Amino acid sequence: MENLEIKYLSTDILIAGGGTAGCYAALKLAEKATKHIMIVEKANIKRSGCLAAGVNALNAYITKGRTPDFYVDYAERDAEGIARGDLLLTMSERLNECAADLEKLGLVILKNADGSYAERGTRNIKINGENIKPILAVAVYERPNIKVYNHVNIIDFIVVGNRIYGAAAVDVHKPILYIIKASAVLCATGGAAGLYRPNNPGFSRHKMWYPPFNTGAGMAAGMRNGAEMTTLEMRFIALRCKDTIAPTGTIAQGVGAKQINSYGEVYETKYGISTPNRLYGTVVENAAGKGPCFLKTVGISDEQELDLKKAYLNMAPSQTLKWIEQGSPQERNVEIEGTEPYIVGGHAAAGFWISTDRHTTIRGLFAAGDTAGGCPQKYVTGAMAEADIAAMGIMEYLSSAADNKTEIDYHKYGEQYKQQEEHFLNVADKEFCVQDLEEAMQKIMDDYAGGIKTGYKYNEAGLSIAGKEIDKLCLLTDELPARSMHELTFIHELKDRLYICRFLIEHLKARKETRWHSFAENADYPDKDDVFKEYINSRIEDGEIKIIHRPIVKRGVRYEHNYQ
Amino acid sequence: MSITINKDLCIGCGRCSEICPGTLIELTEQHKAIMIYPRDCWGCASCLKECPTGAVSFFLGPDMGGRGAVMHAKKTGSITQWIITKADGIPVVLETDSRAANKY
């Protein structure tokens, strides 16, 4: 019999997930107040989350002569109108402040002769982004009122009467269950990867665009506790270098490489240059038998090639290794492909439905970064801006609304979660393991919910099958055995992914149009229909997923939830 | 793509195990780091950069074009030397400087 020790912890503000948004929120909170702040991170904050390997540029920045409205215009256009103007504008107003903050903490930003930042395109600046996470981690550890728990995995939020009281977590190594009491919680656990069968389903199955360790844990915890979610159907699919799934933007923008098909025809101009359409063009060219598709790099100079190799070492080293092993970009054009779909609020708009101050529909639970919906194209600086806004929202919440809390018995929760978790540690071996069910989930989503196999297309008939099959897998997860604490984490990751899949399927069904090619390519409704110029939201009610239609929120508005 | 750890070079400091964002590396009772889930590696190379003795080798899986080349990293101050040894044994060395921004 494997027993778990229960440890009771207490803090004012709990930050679930110590990625870029989580760490920056902690720093901003520590600046603002003497409150106790706790970061709980599944890995180690020095290299956790999206920026573990680094990032190529700061891709959300208000460049010289432009305004925050310019950025909002871009993001709204790219999302075909399904984005929150209020969230985008409040984010855009803070982007440059966040970049300056990063520079103060030690980030290297390329400068022009006059000392201004060197721009890359109209919304980006050039940096060395290899060490953003180590830089943020050092700053976090310098603050005495921030306590960091690395290798602790949050498995649920404690919510009573639609108000947050803390979280339950398990240690990734030691047999310890944590019950964490908190007055406010920021969910910064990231988006969800691994829902669909990946590009390299064999040995390199985790060589994907998004961190494979981001499994949507905080989103799923919020969903289970009745939080309203938005725009999950706007999946994000990245156009990447084939096999390595490394970024293409650095090549396209860095050396001006065009997208060409195998006949050498430049096709990108045929389909439009919005984020979904760049991908869609590649899908269509391949389907028409004109693939494989490439970024045309043959003929670049020696200096350009060396700079590319170095840039990739700072963010995606496998691409540099591939060039050296298989042939340089000067000799061979770089083949490109679309990834499997992800659920992510930092590129697309999927996530928690939040107020302008980043409060979710659960009182005291805030969201920032990839978990926060409605605010696409936020990238690194936008996730930071959002963390800062959430920090302000949390301070306001703690000074006003938190006094309505009732006392709850944390020991009751301790015993309940102990029983739940010890079940997995003691159940008998089964014919299948976590890995087998994960592969089954990815196959179902790929076959019936618009994965790579169908060129991202789906229809109602397929989605209905997907829903039923995912439900069956959910039931099987309750009997999975965990032979270690690490395996217990794997079970939770699978359960969270399946839960998100179930919501995603309902969202895909509900948007009966095709507003974004590939991201939500509904074969039953291949055209855009402005009846759906609205948000598709969802919430669990009496065990059923309820779809909610909400009108567009424009910039300048201060949106607040109507708590009952 | 994944990593292997050279037992003879590993000094058991545990830095790779601590840093891996997937918690995929463990320390054995003999104080040697081992990659327990080679198929679960994201390829972020954090362990490569943390290792003080160059014991970690980074390689591409055959399914993504790997044909025997391995990469090591050696950090001295702000400079990281990336040493790539191809299957034919010929090394290629590239350097990145954390004080220098990407040109692209």
Side-chain angles (χ1 to χ4, degrees):
Chain A
M1 175 73 187
E2 189 71 49
N3 286 313
L4 288 177
E5 178 194 349
I6 310 178
K7 283 193 179 172
Y8 292 92
L9 307 175
S10 182
T11 186
D12 296 314
I13 303 154
L14 169 65
I15 297 175
T20 307
C23 285
Y24 193 67
L27 290 173
K28 297 311 271 186
L29 284 163
E31 266 175 31
K32 290 180 212 303
T34 52
K35 300 270 183 205
H36 293 287
I37 301 148
M38 184 189 289
I39 299 178
V40 173
E41 162 61 49
K42 183 166 73 170
N44 181 308
I45 63 163
K46 187 177 173 188
R47 289 284 181 188
S48 60
C50 298
L51 301 192
V55 65
N56 58 345
L58 292 183
N59 290 313
Y61 189 82
I62 309 304
T63 53
K64 223 177 289 172
R66 295 185 177 83
T67 62
D69 281 294
F70 171 83
Y71 198 89
V72 180
D73 289 343
Y74 153 70
E76 284 186 344
R77 196 169 53 241
D78 212 64
E80 300 277 353
I82 311 300
R84 289 266 301 272
D86 61 325
L87 301 178
L88 283 168
L89 186 61
T90 48
M91 172 195 83
S92 301
E93 286 165 348
R94 284 166 181 78
L95 292 172
N96 292 16
E97 199 183 301
C98 293
D101 245 9
L102 273 179
E103 191 182 24
K104 269 185 237 152
L105 293 174
L107 180 75
V108 172
I109 304 182
L110 193 65
K111 298 269 178 65
N112 297 313
D114 64 358
S116 60
Y117 292 155
E119 295 171 0
R120 185 187 99 161
T122 54
R123 303 177 298 270
N124 333 51
I125 54 174
K126 296 177 183 179
I127 61 166
N128 183 328
E130 188 278 325
N131 57 357
I132 291 187
K133 274 316 302 287
I135 286 172
L136 285 170
V138 166
V140 163
Y141 287 123
E142 280 172 0
R143 290 282 179 172
N145 57 335
I146 307 176
K147 172 95 181 141
V148 179
Y149 282 83
N150 286 320
H151 300 119
V152 174
N153 181 33
I154 289 186
I155 55 168
D156 205 3
F157 294 136
I158 299 173
V159 178
V160 180
N162 200 38
R163 186 183 291 275
I164 196 127
Y165 286 82
V170 288
D171 196 286
V172 177
H173 299 300
K174 298 177 286 247
I176 302 170
L177 167 73
Y178 294 94
I179 299 294
I180 307 162
K181 177 182 178 180
S183 300
V185 177
L186 175 68
C187 181
T189 47
L195 308 179
Y196 285 81
R197 180 183 276 162
N199 293 92
N200 308 303
F203 179 79
S204 303
R205 66 202 181 113
H206 272 184
K207 186 62 256 183
M208 49 180 64
W209 168 72
Y210 202 61
F213 318 115
N214 282 17
T215 57
M219 283 200 276
M223 289 160 152
R224 279 194 295 270
N225 286 290
E228 186 170 329
M229 308 304 289
T230 190
T231 323
L232 301 184
E233 75 282 5
M234 191 203 279
R235 308 174 300 170
F236 185 73
I237 303 162
L239 181 67
R240 302 296 266 191
C241 299
K242 188 171 182 292
D243 300 329
T244 57
I245 317 298
T248 49
T250 300
I251 303 172
Q253 286 185 283
V255 301
K258 299 277 180 225
Q259 287 174 229
I260 56 167
N261 62 24
S262 61
Y263 297 95
E265 298 160 348
V266 175
Y267 64 83
E268 61 188 31
T269 42
K270 269 163 61 182
Y271 302 94
I273 52 161
S274 70
T275 313
N277 284 346
R278 277 183 180 279
L279 165 76
Y280 175 67
T282 307
V283 174
V284 174
E285 292 289 311
N286 276 319
K290 292 182 180 177
C293 296
F294 302 90
L295 283 172
K296 191 175 183 301
T297 53
V298 168
I300 60 170
S301 70
D302 290 345
E303 191 190 347
Q304 283 177 318
E305 175 167 305
L306 183 62
D307 286 335
L308 276 181
K309 285 178 177 166
K310 287 187 176 185
Y312 278 84
L313 284 173
N314 284 334
M315 60 174 170
S318 49
Q319 185 61 36
T320 306
L321 177 56
K322 186 165 173 113
W323 277 328
I324 288 171
E325 186 162 25
Q326 298 218 319
S328 70
Q330 257 182 339
E331 300 159 355
R332 289 166 56 150
N333 291 323
V334 177
E335 192 175 339
I336 52 177
E337 66 181 341
T339 65
E340 76 277 16
Y342 310 94
I343 299 304
V344 53
H347 283 63
F352 283 102
W353 178 248
I354 49 178
S355 66
T356 308
D357 59 4
R358 274 60 178 178
H359 206 163
T360 73
T361 56
I362 294 175
R363 286 183 204 207
L365 177 65
F366 290 74
D370 283 350
T371 65
C375 189
Q377 321 282 3
K378 65 182 79 141
Y379 310 126
V380 178
T381 37
M384 292 168 67
E386 202 153 55
D388 186 17
I389 298 165
M392 288 186 278
I394 288 170
M395 294 310 298
E396 201 184 312
Y397 171 77
L398 289 181
S399 64
S400 59
D403 55 356
N404 297 328
K405 285 176 86 164
T406 51
E407 280 301 310
I408 65 158
D409 180 6
Y410 285 91
H411 288 87
K412 186 189 91 183
Y413 287 92
E415 292 307 320
Q416 184 187 313
Y417 285 108
K418 181 177 156 71
Q419 197 184 353
Q420 175 190 302
E421 298 307 297
E422 284 180 351
H423 163 76
F424 294 112
L425 291 164
N426 292 288
V427 72
D429 276 343
K430 289 286 170 308
E431 297 76 16
F432 44 80
C433 64
V434 175
Q435 187 48 48
D436 301 329
L437 295 192
E438 183 180 311
E439 282 176 18
M441 167 189 69
Q442 292 177 344
K443 182 166 185 256
I444 294 163
M445 296 301 285
D446 191 46
D447 286 348
Y448 300 116
I452 295 170
K453 182 179 183 177
T454 58
Y456 310 115
K457 282 185 188 165
Y458 53 84
N459 61 20
E460 175 114 15
L463 290 173
S464 293
I465 296 172
K468 283 181 192 138
E469 294 302 317
I470 294 292
D471 280 344
K472 288 181 199 165
L473 290 185
C474 287
L475 293 175
L476 292 179
T477 59
D478 290 334
E479 293 308 315
L480 279 171
R483 291 290 158 260
S484 65
M485 291 304 286
H486 202 184
E487 282 188 22
L488 185 60
T489 293
F490 292 156
I491 292 176
H492 284 289
E493 289 175 341
L494 174 67
K495 286 171 95 62
D496 293 340
R497 282 172 163 145
L498 284 165
Y499 203 73
I500 290 171
C501 283
R502 203 61 198 80
F503 273 72
L504 169 59
I505 289 163
E506 294 311 313
H507 273 254
L508 291 171
K509 272 187 198 168
R511 187 168 286 285
K512 297 183 192 304
E513 62 159 355
T514 295
R515 182 163 295 261
W516 317 284
H517 279 306
S518 304
F519 287 14
E521 190 93 39
N522 191 329
D524 290 331
Y525 305 95
D527 300 313
K528 188 157 107 174
D529 178 352
D530 272 340
V531 167
F532 288 94
K533 192 161 184 193
E534 60 173 14
Y535 307 107
I536 305 285
N537 288 5
S538 59
R539 180 172 72 221
I540 199 85
E541 260 185 37
D542 303 322
E544 297 288 323
I545 299 166
K546 183 187 170 194
I547 292 292
I548 303 154
H549 300 264
R550 293 211 183 262
I552 297 296
V553 181
K554 296 201 168 119
R555 67 188 94 172
V557 169
R558 185 176 161 79
Y559 182 86
E560 289 184 58
H561 300 305
N562 181 21
Y563 292 112
Q564 284 163 2
Chain B
M1 138 249 61
S2 192
I3 58 144
T4 54
I5 299 166
N6 182 325
K7 268 191 204 141
D8 296 331
L9 293 176
C10 176
I11 54 167
C13 66
R15 287 166 71 169
C16 57
S17 163
E18 178 60 36
I19 206 69
C20 173
T23 323
L24 308 175
I25 305 169
E26 278 186 8
L27 273 187
T28 64
E29 282 175 14
Q30 290 77 38
H31 298 285
K32 296 289 179 188
I34 49 162
M35 176 57 157
I36 30 175
Y37 303 102
R39 289 161 61 94
D40 287 359
C41 176
W42 187 28
C44 69
S46 298
C47 54
L48 207 66
K49 291 179 273 191
E50 283 290 314
C51 179
T53 65
V56 180
S57 300
F58 182 94
F59 66 96
L60 302 180
D63 58 343
M64 51 185 283
R67 300 293 182 263
V70 292
M71 179 158 72
H72 294 91
K74 203 171 150 190
K75 223 172 162 180
T76 318
S78 66
I79 306 289
T80 303
Q81 262 198 336
W82 303 80
I83 304 135
I84 297 157
T85 313
K86 293 203 268 186
D88 58 13
I90 301 168
V92 175
V93 181
L94 289 170
E95 275 186 4
T96 52
D97 184 345
S98 62
R99 293 168 306 182
N102 293 344
K103 288 195 186 154
Y104 301 134

